[in-house]
Amino acid sequence: MKSLWIDNRFVSSSGKAIPVIDPSNEETIDEVADATCEEVGRAVASSRKAQAHWWNKVSAHERGELLHEISRRVKANASKLAETLTREGGKPLRENIDELGWVANCFDYYAELGRHQRGRVIPSIEPSQLSLVLKEPYGVVAAIAPWNYPLLLMAWKVAPALAAGNAVVIKPASQTPLSTLMMSEVFDCLPPGTVNIVTGLGSTAGDALVRHPDVAMVAFTGSLETGKSIARICADSVKKCHLELGGKDAFVVAEDADLEVAARAVAWAAFLNCGQVCTSAERIYVHHTIAQEFIEKLADFTRSLVIGPGMGPDTDVGPMIGGESRKNVEAHVADAIKRGAKLVAGGKRPSHLKKGFYYEPTILADADHRMAVMRDETFGPVCPIQTYKEFDEAVELANDSIYGLGANLYTNDAKKVKKFFERVQAGTIWINDPLTDNDAGPFGGYKATGGGRELGEEGLEEFRQSKHVHWDFEQKAKPWWYPYGKKTSVKLAQAK
Ligand code: NAD
């Protein structure tokens, strides 16, 4: 059984074994420990010591060098990391190789940003004074990641947290812990304890980590319900809590769109990682005059996609992560059809794949907001389409969601573009290029998506607290100190 990684070495755990399942064939490929509360405490104590004694004293320049080294090691180990990601998470290998490239870039980005963003001198109140704004780390950060992009969403937390001078305890999702444990070969260039890894279930190891009094900040990506419960626990001890939660991204296709390109863009945005991306296009709004042609093109293209194991050389769409997720998708499709949606493509498990959590990429026409598939997060390969007449209506529909992570628009009409990015309540607006992230651009959501921001300068700021230092070189009594009596009456007399 794979164990925990504390102080740069693997240590055994007395926690129970959790199987890791290959979603492409439902076979157990390994087991990891469900770390006990005491073991989580050991990891936190180790990180606390490392942060206070070493990491916080390492110069920003040297930290940057170490983050670049992490990036170099990610690139050197990319093939085996990508294969592990595919075996435990099901994503096509090609997508995991891309994920590793983004992981490496993220560490390089924060290596440089951390060096250059070191606080500032601000204008002082009096000439005899110096005023500084310092940027300080929180201490120990708990980085809790989901299974859909295990290493990328870990990197979006760990890279800025380290650049800011924090130590980190990582808890990967119980479905995809192996790739994170493999990152031990990457992180062992750091002083022992700077990064520790504990595996386990959310309800045990995750809960123990969030509640630990020496964890100063929780950086969490996952579902709305888990995020709410973590926020409640953090509120009890007024602990800094960073939340990146669910999404229900809208994708609007305007009447001037190049339908060939827009159809391929929608297919990719809806079916990438089998639709299990927080920014998957989950609601498509198409202008009524082009809807029929668009749906035909999209359906033809969708039927041509190759479904199979992530390791298959031609696979476009792999399996879903597990049986429960697939049941949720099946329930959404059944509810939509019951309420009047028309099944255009997919809508079932592929008959040629007997084992594995597969579901065909699915197109539903005539969808509307009464249907769960247009309201709740589906997190699977389903693309429901609703038509609109006026662009204002499309904007309103896009905003009609509790979530606000991302939103897409296909058009070259500048007026529509401006209206869309001004009015749509979402953390990222993509015009004519869905789901492209940029290390320098903040990523996060409005509304129930949580409001945290990763990436960009904002992503570094989340992991630092600001300290204002006000320093007077002269020890002189100030005129506004006690006693007030006489001075107040003098001022009032002058005012008359
Ligand atoms: P999840 O909430 O079930 O689990 C996420 C992580 O939290 C896992 O590591 C899990 O073990 C841990 N966890 C669960 N319960 C916990 C608890 N009580 N205390 C501490 N930790 C706990 O989510 P998931 O199913 O792994 O991921 C899918 C969800 O993540 C979707 O809703 C998706 O939209 C969201 N997501 C959001 C973003 C974003 O950037 N906003 C990115 C990716 C995924």
Side-chain angles (χ1 to χ4, degrees), residues 422-440:
E422 282 178 352
R423 293 215 197 143
V424 172
Q425 297 165 319
T428 305
I429 305 288
W430 285 288
I431 314 290
N432 299 337
D433 184 16
L435 274 56
T436 295
D437 296 327
N438 178 340
D439 286 321

Side-chain angles (χ1 to χ4, degrees), residues 281-339:
E282 292 216 355
R283 301 177 284 145
I284 319 301
Y285 304 104
V286 182
H287 193 263
H288 69 112
T289 54
I290 53 161
Q292 195 182 342
E293 191 185 346
F294 174 80
I295 291 169
E296 276 165 20
K297 285 186 189 306
L298 175 60
D300 284 349
F301 186 68
T302 299
R303 288 189 203 101
S304 75
L305 297 175
V306 178
I307 311 168
M311 295 302 286
D314 301 322
T315 296
D316 295 308
V317 181
M320 298 189 65
I321 190 69
E324 282 308 307
S325 302
R326 183 168 59 180
K327 274 191 200 151
N328 182 49
V329 164
E330 287 171 336
H332 275 200
V333 172
D335 171 77
I337 292 170
K338 196 177 86 192
R339 291 175 192 275

Side-chain angles (χ1 to χ4, degrees), residues 123-198:
S124 59
I125 306 294
E126 303 281 343
S128 64
Q129 298 169 346
L130 180 67
S131 288
L132 307 172
V133 177
L134 305 184
K135 297 288 181 178
E136 299 197 332
Y138 282 88
V140 178
V141 171
I144 303 180
W147 47 262
N148 64 336
Y149 284 88
L151 296 188
L152 185 65
L153 296 172
M154 175 277 295
W156 285 7
K157 295 164 185 54
V158 175
L162 292 179
N166 302 280
V168 185
V169 179
I170 305 172
K171 200 213 72 70
S174 52
Q175 299 92 331
T176 55
L178 303 177
S179 51
T180 304
L181 285 172
M182 200 176 260
M183 285 289 289
S184 55
E185 293 174 34
V186 169
F187 290 133
D188 70 3
C189 63
L190 298 171
T194 311
V195 170
N196 288 316
I197 303 168
V198 294

Side-chain angles (χ1 to χ4, degrees), residues 41-81:
R42 262 168 54 202
V44 174
S46 146
S47 285
R48 193 171 183 219
K49 190 168 150 207
Q51 199 272 335
H53 295 293
W54 297 305
W55 194 243
N56 200 25
K57 294 181 180 153
V58 170
S59 71
H61 179 79
E62 205 180 325
R63 267 189 225 142
E65 283 304 302
L66 285 165
L67 292 189
H68 280 311
E69 174 61 16
I70 290 173
S71 168
R72 276 190 287 275
R73 288 174 174 217
V74 167
K75 286 179 204 150
N77 288 287
S79 305
K80 67 180 188 186
L81 283 165

Side-chain angles (χ1 to χ4, degrees), residues 77-377:
N77 288 287
S79 305
K80 67 180 188 186
L81 283 165
E83 279 179 25
T84 303
L85 282 168
T86 294
R87 286 200 317 136
E88 65 183 358
K91 268 211 306 299
L93 190 62
R94 158 72 207 266
E95 291 178 17
N96 284 323
I97 289 169
D98 288 346
E99 178 171 349
L100 267 308
W102 303 328
V103 169
N105 290 347
C106 178
F107 278 99
D108 281 333
Y109 174 76
Y110 282 111
E112 293 306 314
L113 196 69
R115 281 172 174 174
H116 297 117
Q117 299 252 323
R118 299 296 303 157
R120 62 195 192 277
V121 179
I122 57 170
S124 59
I125 306 294
E126 303 281 343
S128 64
Q129 298 169 346
L130 180 67
S131 288
L132 307 172
V133 177
L134 305 184
K135 297 288 181 178
E136 299 197 332
Y138 282 88
V140 178
V141 171
I144 303 180
W147 47 262
N148 64 336
Y149 284 88
L151 296 188
L152 185 65
L153 296 172
M154 175 277 295
W156 285 7
K157 295 164 185 54
V158 175
L162 292 179
N166 302 280
V168 185
V169 179
I170 305 172
K171 200 213 72 70
S174 52
Q175 299 92 331
T176 55
L178 303 177
S179 51
T180 304
L181 285 172
M182 200 176 260
M183 285 289 289
S184 55
E185 293 174 34
V186 169
F187 290 133
D188 70 3
C189 63
L190 298 171
T194 311
V195 170
N196 288 316
I197 303 168
V198 294
T199 53
L201 299 174
S203 53
T204 49
D207 184 67
L209 190 56
V210 170
R211 287 181 194 274
H212 198 291
D214 288 336
V215 167
M217 171 177 175
V218 177
F220 170 79
T221 300
S223 62
L224 175 60
E225 285 315 311
T226 311
K228 283 201 255 182
S229 85
I230 288 178
R232 277 185 217 113
I233 295 167
C234 290
D236 277 346
S237 56
V238 200
K239 188 176 286 192
K240 161 94 177 184
C241 177
H242 171 108
L243 300 175
E244 300 280 346
L245 309 178
K248 189 75 193 167
D249 286 10
F251 196 126
V252 176
V253 183
E255 56 271 45
D256 71 300
D258 178 327
L259 295 193
E260 210 56 66
V261 179
R264 285 185 57 189
V266 165
W268 190 72
F271 305 136
L272 174 72
N273 193 7
C274 207
Q276 303 167 116
V277 184
C278 51
T279 48
S280 287
E282 292 216 355
R283 301 177 284 145
I284 319 301
Y285 304 104
V286 182
H287 193 263
H288 69 112
T289 54
I290 53 161
Q292 195 182 342
E293 191 185 346
F294 174 80
I295 291 169
E296 276 165 20
K297 285 186 189 306
L298 175 60
D300 284 349
F301 186 68
T302 299
R303 288 189 203 101
S304 75
L305 297 175
V306 178
I307 311 168
M311 295 302 286
D314 301 322
T315 296
D316 295 308
V317 181
M320 298 189 65
I321 190 69
E324 282 308 307
S325 302
R326 183 168 59 180
K327 274 191 200 151
N328 182 49
V329 164
E330 287 171 336
H332 275 200
V333 172
D335 171 77
I337 292 170
K338 196 177 86 192
R339 291 175 192 275
K342 194 171 131 223
L343 183 65
V344 183
K348 58 180 174 29
R349 300 177 185 193
S351 51
H352 67 290
L353 293 159
K354 303 289 176 220
K355 282 266 179 182
F357 305 114
Y358 294 97
Y359 193 81
E360 288 180 353
T362 296
I363 311 284
L364 293 167
D366 301 336
D368 65 51
H369 280 215
R370 291 170 305 133
M371 302 167 185
V373 78
M374 296 297 275
R375 287 194 320 269
D376 304 335
E377 197 174 34

